[in-house]
Amino acid sequence: MSPSGDAEPAGTREGARDGSDARIAAVIALLGILPEIGLAVTGTELAARWVVRIAIGVILVAAVYRPVRDRWRRRAAGRDRRRPRWWPRLAAARRLIGTLWPWLRMGAAGVVAGGMVLALAQLAPAARQRFEAYFGQCPMPREIVLSVPSYDVPGFELLAAEFTAGRAVNGCAETRLKVVAAPPVSGLLAALRGGWRSADETRLIGPRPDLVVVESRDLADLLAGDRVEDAGPIGYAEIAVGVPETLRNQVERETGGVSLDSVLRFYAQPGRNFARPEPLTSGLGLMATAGLNMHRVFPDPEAAEDKMRELPEEMGDDFWKDQSDPVSLLCNLQRDYEPRRNSLLRRSAFLLPRHVMDDYNNRTARFCPGGNGDRGRLWIPDVPPLATLDYRAIRPIWPDRESAGRGEVVHELAAWLRARAVTPTPEAQPAPGGDVLAATMEAIRNREQRLDLAVVLDGSGSMRRHMPVTLRSVAEIVDALRPTDRVSLDIARRPFRDARPRISTAYPSDLAGSQGDQVVDYLGQWTPRDWDLDVAATIGGMGNRPMDVMVIVTDTSPGKQADLRKITEEVVEQATGKPSDAPVYIVNVGDAECPPALRDAAGVFCVDAAGFDPATALDRLREPR
């Protein structure tokens, strides 16, 4: 048995165990309340942090010191059983502490609870914001629409993400920046003047922009007016001349001393050409054409335009779509065209931004899908650029959306973009002036072979089961159009059996580049539901509407009033007697075949959907008549 002096009361041992738990609780409580205590004592956040650090250090030292001291004392007691004279008095003090310990434990619990409340009160706002951000419960951000040239959308989307992230607060974005492609440059002015609505002012042509980016100060000046504010320059890009590497030696040999004018004159000769982005869709193509005209390589803008249109005419309709994007335009050098086309393209100079051509040369395999870095590289002569694009931002003023907060964000965005602009080189050529741009635009419009196509859909309920074929046929027609062609969509219907034939406009005539995809998307959700309307009444219902070709999509309704076999004569009479001389194509998506009499009639052609080739039909219409 142990000596009586060594015995410890049970309550003391329990108190020791409870004392260990209380120390842990006290540490938690102190950690929770020390920030509040520090701020209350010092009044400054920096000093409060130092108070917290010192206090935490003291707590950690005390937590380590006491166990080490007790362990050392136990070891010493084991070596020497003799107790000092004051040991009994110490035991009495420990019994007193054991008596008071429950009260101390209750106080410690109160301190722990208070510390946790203070800690939660301090952390709750940040935790709530983090929780809402994680589960998508952030406040609805203000949407700002940025309209940029179509080929610049990917680059500006990266800038938009950076700008949005920079304005986020606690993981929640205050502003959502939406980047959209601007309308074709030839229709941008009309869009701004018309309130961003279609020509008949019945619908918006897209989200109304808060900031519009154009490629030139002079283009911005053309758009200026009472409802537009100049937000200043936001960037620069040089339009350089790129020469296929295979012709580098020939160019250097024949031009003698390589200069900008000598290279341009070399490619103005027969058998050579220039490749540029589409000038009526892209301001870049317009500026490149105007820059070429400024050097007087051709006698007049019309001659220059005739020369520059030789290339896309030879390359076919697919090349017109590539023309709207400098990247796709360059990647044609990597594709396996037939030898004649490939040879013509490789004898052309490219008028494109210098940084785009540099990027193409440096990483061709990633730049073009399936590209080959050893084929189709460009040589960029060390000559001054053809022109400098001084990108400009303009802010349309929409009275119903105007607010101080929105205006502040838009001006901040313009300043943020301007801070990232690259200064042009001293030898950069100035951008063509407004008079040169106007003359160039007029010459381009005089030379373009634009088609105005009217698509009319049979709205009868019998078309419902033919909608997959109808959608595919219309999509093929839209895909065969060039970006500068125009397309409209009308629905032919009779709401009830004895109703008069009626033609309702779903999409008025507009550029295929801006609304072609919208037409196809609309048909994907459209449901035919009306009574049969025959093709003859449809042709008559279109009246004297201006167009180059009418395409009627119908199922011919075999056995009913709209059966083409029963109304062949009426269809031919309406097609040949209408005020417009535009031909009529009837695309049959139904099960019955076209009547033989309509397969080769004057002014009207009925073709089955499976055998309709829109590209060939439209090319035939573009030929001079």
Side-chain angles (χ1 to χ4, degrees):
M1 293 177 65
S2 300
S4 58
D6 293 339
E8 295 181 0
T12 304
R13 289 195 300 271
E14 182 181 355
R17 184 172 61 253
D18 291 346
S20 176
D21 295 339
R23 284 195 297 270
I24 296 174
V27 170
I28 296 174
L30 284 174
L31 290 177
I33 65 176
L34 274 176
E36 297 293 332
I37 295 174
L39 284 172
V41 173
T42 64
T44 61
E45 185 178 358
L46 181 61
R49 290 179 179 175
W50 278 107
V51 170
V52 171
R53 292 169 184 168
I54 294 172
I56 291 175
V58 171
I59 292 172
L60 293 176
V61 170
V64 174
Y65 168 73
R66 178 169 291 185
V68 172
R69 183 195 63 182
D70 292 345
R71 186 174 182 182
W72 178 80
R73 285 182 176 179
R74 285 195 299 271
R75 287 185 177 182
R79 291 193 299 266
D80 186 4
R81 288 292 184 180
R82 292 176 299 178
R83 300 297 186 199
R85 296 176 183 177
W86 44 264
W87 185 256
R89 280 178 282 178
L90 180 61
R94 294 171 65 187
R95 285 193 295 273
L96 178 63
I97 293 173
T99 303
L100 298 175
W101 177 247
W103 300 95
L104 295 174
R105 186 169 57 183
M106 291 177 63
V111 173
V112 170
M116 294 300 293
V117 170
L118 291 174
L120 289 175
Q122 192 176 39
L123 296 175
R128 184 182 68 253
Q129 290 178 341
R130 291 289 182 184
F131 178 83
E132 290 178 349
Y134 182 80
F135 289 99
Q137 297 298 317
C138 291
M140 182 65 69
R142 176 188 284 112
E143 183 176 80
I144 302 296
V145 179
L146 177 62
S147 176
V148 302
S150 59
Y151 57 86
D152 278 327
V153 168
F156 274 92
E157 283 180 339
L158 297 177
L159 292 176
E162 183 181 348
F163 178 78
T164 302
R167 292 178 54 87
V169 177
N170 294 322
C172 289
E174 292 185 342
T175 302
R176 180 173 62 185
L177 190 56
K178 182 178 182 179
V179 182
V180 298
V185 65
S186 57
L188 187 56
L189 179 59
L192 287 170
R193 290 177 175 173
W196 217 252
R197 293 185 175 276
S198 57
D200 60 356
E201 299 184 354
T202 58
R203 61 181 178 85
L204 290 171
I205 60 175
R208 287 186 297 177
D210 297 285
L211 201 66
V212 179
V213 175
V214 293
E215 297 100 318
S216 163
R217 179 188 64 256
D218 291 289
L219 282 176
D221 291 342
L222 291 175
L223 302 175
D226 296 337
R227 302 179 63 183
V228 173
E229 174 189 343
D230 187 359
I234 63 166
Y236 300 90
E238 295 181 347
I239 299 181
V241 180
V243 177
E245 191 70 45
T246 53
L247 289 183
R248 176 174 182 172
N249 293 335
Q250 184 179 357
V251 172
E252 291 180 326
R253 182 175 64 254
E254 293 191 15
T255 57
V258 175
S259 65
L260 178 60
D261 283 341
S262 66
V263 173
L264 295 178
R265 295 184 184 282
F266 175 86
Y267 280 97
Q269 298 176 19
R272 301 161 192 157
N273 213 302
F274 297 95
R276 50 118 194 239
E278 166 55 45
L280 293 178
T281 302
S282 158
L284 171 60
L286 176 62
M287 300 294 288
T289 306
L292 177 66
N293 291 335
M294 287 177 62
H295 287 268
R296 304 297 182 186
V297 176
F298 297 96
D300 51 57
E302 286 75 13
E305 188 61 22
D306 289 339
K307 178 66 175 179
M308 298 184 77
R309 285 184 174 271
E310 290 178 6
L311 178 61
E313 290 296 337
E314 289 291 335
M315 295 298 291
D317 289 328
D318 288 340
F319 192 75
W320 284 86
K321 296 179 177 59
D322 294 334
Q323 266 197 295
S324 61
D325 180 14
V327 173
S328 299
L329 184 61
L330 272 175
C331 290
N332 279 283
L333 286 169
Q334 301 294 318
R335 298 174 185 169
D336 290 326
Y337 283 97
E338 61 182 83
R340 183 176 63 85
R341 291 182 176 182
N342 190 272
S343 175
L344 178 63
L345 184 65
R346 293 179 186 275
R347 295 198 306 273
S348 301
F350 289 78
L351 310 179
L352 298 173
R354 184 186 299 273
H355 68 275
V356 174
M357 292 189 287
D358 286 335
D359 200 19
Y360 167 80
N361 279 338
N362 294 335
R363 57 183 191 95
T364 307
R366 288 182 297 169
F367 193 86
C368 304
N372 184 346
D374 298 328
R375 181 177 65 181
R377 290 176 60 85
L378 292 176
W379 169 52
I380 306 176
D382 187 16
V383 297
L386 183 66
T388 300
L389 300 177
D390 49 342
Y391 280 76
R392 200 93 178 174
I394 56 176
R395 176 177 172 257
I397 300 175
W398 313 112
D400 58 332
R401 295 182 63 185
E402 192 68 13
S403 67
R406 181 176 295 274
E408 180 181 352
V409 174
V410 172
H411 285 104
E412 181 182 342
L413 171 61
W416 187 84
L417 292 172
R418 186 160 50 251
R420 282 153 178 75
V422 179
T423 304
T425 57
E427 65 272 9
Q429 299 288 321
D435 54 343
V436 177
L437 288 176
T440 303
M441 179 70 78
E442 184 64 24
I444 293 171
R445 283 176 170 164
N446 291 338
R447 292 301 191 271
E448 68 172 327
Q449 296 174 315
R450 187 182 69 188
L451 288 178
D452 194 337
L453 182 142
V455 178
V456 188
L457 290 181
D458 181 353
S460 60
S462 62
M463 285 282 290
R464 191 171 301 177
R465 66 188 184 94
H466 302 300
M467 280 308 298
V469 179
T470 300
L471 183 61
R472 184 173 65 251
S473 299
V474 174
E476 291 175 352
I477 294 170
V478 170
D479 189 59
L481 293 171
R482 298 174 181 176
T484 53
D485 289 334
R486 303 183 73 87
V487 61
S488 64
L489 178 65
D490 294 272
I491 309 295
R493 57 181 57 184
R494 279 195 305 146
F496 49 92
R497 183 187 298 272
D498 298 325
R500 293 174 59 85
R502 189 168 62 190
I503 308 292
S504 60
T505 301
Y507 284 89
S509 181
D510 202 349
L511 293 177
S514 61
Q515 83 168 9
D517 292 338
Q518 297 178 32
V519 168
V520 177
D521 293 341
Y522 171 81
L523 289 182
Q525 306 172 12
W526 175 68
T527 301
R529 59 184 179 275
D530 294 312
W531 290 84
D532 287 334
L533 178 63
D534 62 74
V535 172
T538 301
I539 298 174
M542 291 298 288
N544 194 23
R545 189 178 302 183
M547 67 186 78
D548 294 314
V549 58
M550 182 192 306
V551 177
I552 300 176
V553 184
T554 181
D555 61 351
T556 70
S557 300
K560 298 183 180 180
Q561 178 183 355
D563 191 343
L564 282 176
R565 293 170 297 183
K566 297 180 179 180
I567 58 171
T568 299
E569 294 182 1
E570 291 87 343
V571 170
V572 174
E573 181 181 353
Q574 288 288 345
T576 55
K578 67 182 186 305
S580 170
D581 62 348
V584 177
Y585 280 88
I586 303 172
V587 179
N588 175 24
V589 296
D591 300 326
E593 296 183 353
C594 291
L598 289 178
R599 291 186 178 275
D600 194 19
V604 57
F605 310 93
C606 182
V607 292
D608 297 322
F612 184 44
D613 183 0
T616 302
L618 296 179
D619 284 344
R620 188 180 300 116
L621 293 171
R622 296 186 199 277
E623 297 174 357
R625 287 176 286 179

